[in-house]
């Protein structure tokens, strides 16, 4: 694979980022970093969705201009992603002038083509979804199922997009590409939704919503959020109906759009129709992840259980985000809902990262220093009983990432850690040393360290800081591509001195955990 383009949903900026937003960005970053280990050219896009009635209302309530309010909150998202080491290539804001200009051109192109037309309309508008809902979408009480609010009745003359024109083509695409929607069990939901689709409103009267991108040549209408928001995936790369950039030509179509299950309809139906109307190639996959609950309860402001990812790092006194990244990325099987709980977080990362992985490296290096002055002797290198397990794990991890099965990949890595720990226990190198079986002891330790190099490379997307510390102590080159990764990574010679052996991750002790409560 030569190039890889991955995107996240762009977050509404009407508040600060919470752990649900963080889950998606971490998941995407882990996939992205894995693919940097497989491809030469990669692009990771994230950003913020800044137009619409919600932002207009919230900024007013806070006595701020919309732009100042967006600037303030967009910065919170950027700061959080930096702290979590979310290594995006570009952060797009839908208020970026370049984005706004191209969205206007896209709108005009669809209008010229006859795929957008003007029409008087009375509909039920949910400001939470920033979308018109049909009666069928509502609960028995007439509420939006996601936001539990009664939608407003809105009568307007709007521009409409001819979604129905693309219905058959979208159905055909989904049916002939069973891996287009990931996980595949969600494809049926989308096919059901497609049964009843109608043309969709793509503008709002300026008199009702003023905080949006104006329709060119029509002072009365502003472009409604979804056409604006979805286009970010191409405007960010430099798409332009009048001639696109080199970057766009290199990276489009996207390999995967990572989004939450709640916005799958917008991505797998609306966005696909817009791309078809623009005569652009379609993204290869749409990964709809599940939702994160807190202690098994839906996160909501009214319940007061909204968790800030930075708050978690502070509460546990963590100076690197790796444990939270590892925990979140492995919190749910592909596409399923996950859960955050303080106790589970502490227990899992202590068990996997400190006790199993970190400790294994630490005690193996310590034994190498104790028995061999930190040297790897030539005669210790060669046949490794753990090699097959390590090679199988590399293959399995790549295979899982081919299907964006991130937590499943993490599980494979920890299984290799467990196999290696068992190998140490079974072979008891300390006893071999005591018995004078020096060479055998050296071989066991070297075998383990060879596998630790493989583990370092595989854990890197989840735990970049811990992996860096491991790589330093193993003199292992972390930039190696996964296709070139073998289980023969050590060179004969001096590896490490006692004072350079550092624990890569310390257990989060209960006193620190208590601080969070
Ligand atoms: N602005 C739109 C997306 C436009 S994409 C062209 C939006 N924004 S959002 O802020 O409401 O949500 C952003 C992303 O965060 C979505 O993918 C959404 O599913 C995800 N999550 C929001 N809350 C979440 C959880 N509690 N758990 C996991 N993901 C969640 O929708």
């Amino acid at each position: 694979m030569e190039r890889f383009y991955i995107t996240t949903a762009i977050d509404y900026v009407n508040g600060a980022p919470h752990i649900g937003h963080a889950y998606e960005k971490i998941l995407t970053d882990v996939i992205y970093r894995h693919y940097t280990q497989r491809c030469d050219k990669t692009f990771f896009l994230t950003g913020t969705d800044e137009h619409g009635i919600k932002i207009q209302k919230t900024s007013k309530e806070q006595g701020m201009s919309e732009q100042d309010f967006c600037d303030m909150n967009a910065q919170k998202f950027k700061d959080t992603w930096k702290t979590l080491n979310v290594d995006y290539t570009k952060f797009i804001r839908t208020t970026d002038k370049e984005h706004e200009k191209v969205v206007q051109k896209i709108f005009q192109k669809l209008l010229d083509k006859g795929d957008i037309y003007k029409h008087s309309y009375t509909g039920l508008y949910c400001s939470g979804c920033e979308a018109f809902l049909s009666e069928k979408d509502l609960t028995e009480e007439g509420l939006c199922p996601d936001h539990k609010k009664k939608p407003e009745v809105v009568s307007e003359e709007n521009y409409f997009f001819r979604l129905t024109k693309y219905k058959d083509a979208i159905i055909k695409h989904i049916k002939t590409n069973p891996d287009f929607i990931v996980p595949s069990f969600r494809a049926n939901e989308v096919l059901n939704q497609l049964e009843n689709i109608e043309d969709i409103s793509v503008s709002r009267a300026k008199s009702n919503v003023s905080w949006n991108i104006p329709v060119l040549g029509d002072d009365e209408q502003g472009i409604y959020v979804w056409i604006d928001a979805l286009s970010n995936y191409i405007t960010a790369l430099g798409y332009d109906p009048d001639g696109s950039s080199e970057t766009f030509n290199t990276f489009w179509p996207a390999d995967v759009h990572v989004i939450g299950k709640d916005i799958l309809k917008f991505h797998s139906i609306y966005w696909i129709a817009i791309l078809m109307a623009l005569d652009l190639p379609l993204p290869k996959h749409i990964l709809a992840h599940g939702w994160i609950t807190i202690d098994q309860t839906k996160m909501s402001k009214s319940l007061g259980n909204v968790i800030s990812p930075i708050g978690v790092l502070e509460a546990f006194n963590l100076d690197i985000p790796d444990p939270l990244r590892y925990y979140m990325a492995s919190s749910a099987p592909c596409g399923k809902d996950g859960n955050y709980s303080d106790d589970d977080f502490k227990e899992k990362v202590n068990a996997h990262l400190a006790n199993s992985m970190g400790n294994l490296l630490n005690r193996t290096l310590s034994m190498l220093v104790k028995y061999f002055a930190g040297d790897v002797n030539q005669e210790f290198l060669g046949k490794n009983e753990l090699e097959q397990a390590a090679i199988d794990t590399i293959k399995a991890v790549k295979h899982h990432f081919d299907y964006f099965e991130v937590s499943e990949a993490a599980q494979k890595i920890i299984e290799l850690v467990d196999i290696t720990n068992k190998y140490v226990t079974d072979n008891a190198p300390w006893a071999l040393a005591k018995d004078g079986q020096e060479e055998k002891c050296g071989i066991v330790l070297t075998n383990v360290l060879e596998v630790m190099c493989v583990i370092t490379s595989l854990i890197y997307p989840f735990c970049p800081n811990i992996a860096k510390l491991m790589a330093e102590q193993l003199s292992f080159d972390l930039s190696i591509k996964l296709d070139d990764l073998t289980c023969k990574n050590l060179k004969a010679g001096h590896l490490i001195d006692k004072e350079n052996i550092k624990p890569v991750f310390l257990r989060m002790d209960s006193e620190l955990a208590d601080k969070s409560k």
Side-chain angles (χ1 to χ4, degrees), residues 8-14 18-21 23-25 49 54 77 128 226 229-233 258-263 267 289-293 299:
T8 68
I10 48 173
D11 303 307
Y12 289 129
V13 280
N14 46 321
H18 56 59
I19 205 140
H21 298 125
Y23 170 61
E24 179 176 283
K25 278 39 179 194
D49 191 355
K54 253 196 302 194
F77 280 84
W226 279 100
L230 290 163
S231 301
N232 92 86
Y233 301 131
V258 182
I259 51 151
K261 61 182 183 180
D262 55 318
I263 53 173
H267 283 79
H289 61 75
W291 269 44
I292 296 296
T293 51
M299 201 171 14

Side-chain angles (χ1 to χ4, degrees), residues 271-465:
W271 177 227
I272 298 312
I274 294 168
L275 289 169
M276 285 176 171
L278 292 171
D279 292 318
L280 286 174
L282 306 182
K284 291 177 202 150
H285 307 280
I286 296 176
L287 168 60
H289 61 75
W291 269 44
I292 296 296
T293 51
I294 306 298
D295 296 326
Q296 312 296 343
T297 311
K298 195 172 172 193
M299 201 171 14
S300 81
K301 274 192 193 151
S302 51
L303 287 175
N305 66 347
V306 177
I307 291 212
S308 137
I310 303 299
V312 173
L313 298 186
E314 285 171 359
F316 284 99
N317 222 4
L318 291 164
D319 53 6
I320 52 166
D322 298 35
L324 186 62
R325 290 174 58 96
Y326 175 78
Y327 178 73
M328 295 310 299
S330 59
S331 67
C334 182
K336 297 277 171 61
D337 291 343
N339 182 57
Y340 173 87
S341 98
D342 278 348
D343 290 342
D344 187 43
F345 171 47
K346 195 179 66 164
E347 204 175 295
K348 187 166 175 185
V349 301
N350 277 349
H352 291 187
L353 303 183
N355 297 359
S356 297
M357 190 178 76
N359 202 14
L360 175 61
L361 178 66
N362 200 266
R363 62 195 181 118
T364 312
L365 287 175
S366 300
M367 283 189 273
L368 192 78
V369 166
K370 185 166 174 194
Y371 305 131
F372 301 98
D375 292 345
V376 171
N377 298 345
Q378 184 63 48
E379 55 271 28
F380 300 163
L381 298 168
K383 214 179 133 25
N384 184 343
E385 292 149 282
L386 290 167
E387 180 164 6
Q388 198 53 49
I391 299 299
D392 289 349
T393 306
I394 300 171
K395 261 197 221 152
V397 166
K398 280 165 79 177
H399 180 79
H400 281 306
F401 272 99
D402 286 342
Y403 297 92
F404 310 113
E405 294 166 351
V406 177
S407 80
E408 292 81 347
Q411 200 174 325
K412 282 283 165 202
I413 303 168
I414 294 302
E415 273 169 32
L416 182 61
V417 171
D418 291 344
I419 290 171
T420 313
N421 261 315
K422 183 170 182 309
Y423 174 78
V424 174
T425 312
D426 289 351
N427 287 282
W430 52 91
L432 294 171
K434 211 166 155 197
D435 283 1
Q437 298 193 58
E438 196 173 290
E439 184 171 354
K440 196 150 182 232
C441 171
I443 290 172
V444 169
L445 295 178
T446 310
N447 287 352
V448 171
L449 294 174
E450 291 281 25
V451 179
M452 286 318 293
C453 293
V454 173
I455 291 168
T456 301
S457 182
L458 297 179
I459 204 73
Y460 158 78
F462 298 84
C463 302
N465 302 285

